[in-house]
C-alpha cells in the first residue's frame, strides 16, 4: 500500500501549455507523489482512457494515479478512485 500522498497534482479539462501526460511527468519529477485526473470535459470514454494510459505510462510507479468519476477505468488501470 502506498503512503498518503504529500503533494498532489490535479489535472482538469482546461487547456494547458503542455500535453497533460507531459505536465504530469514533469510534476512527478519535481516531487509530486500523486496525480489526480478530474476530466469533466467532452472527451469520449476512449479519449479519456487514452489520456489516463498516457499519464500512467509517463509517471509509471513514481506516483499514484487517481481517476475521478470512472470506477471501471480506475480498476482497469489499477488506479485509485
Amino acid at each position: 500500500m502506498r503512503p498518503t500522498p504529500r503533494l498532489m497534482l490535479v489535472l482538469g479539462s482546461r487547456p494547458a501549455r503542455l500535453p497533460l501526460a507531459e505536465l504530469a511527468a514533469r510534476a512527478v519529477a519535481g516531487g509530486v507523489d500523486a496525480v489526480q485526473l478530474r476530466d469533466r470535459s467532452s472527451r469520449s470514454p476512449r479519449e479519456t482512457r487514452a489520456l489516463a494510459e498516457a499519464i500512467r505510462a509517463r509517471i509509471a510507479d513514481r506516483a499514484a494515479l487517481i481517476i475521478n468519476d470512472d470506477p471501471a477505468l480506475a480498476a482497469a488501470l489499477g488506479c485509485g478512485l
Side-chain angles (χ1 to χ4, degrees):
M1 179 177 267
R2 280 188 184 275
T4 302
R6 294 178 296 140
L7 184 59
M8 180 182 294
L9 171 67
V10 179
L11 296 173
S13 53
R14 291 187 179 201
R17 286 188 236 164
L18 297 171
L20 294 181
E22 176 66 21
L23 180 61
R26 289 185 184 197
V28 169
V32 164
D33 54 1
V35 176
Q36 179 180 1
L37 179 58
R38 278 185 84 214
D39 185 21
R40 296 195 173 146
S41 70
S42 59
R43 283 188 183 96
S44 72
R46 181 177 292 173
E47 291 169 324
T48 300
R49 182 181 182 106
L51 175 58
E53 289 173 341
I55 293 168
R56 166 55 80 209
R58 293 299 305 269
I59 67 172
D61 290 330
R62 297 174 311 195
L65 177 58
I66 301 163
I67 299 176
N68 276 43
D69 301 325
D70 195 336
L73 179 56
L77 296 179
C79 301
L81 180 64

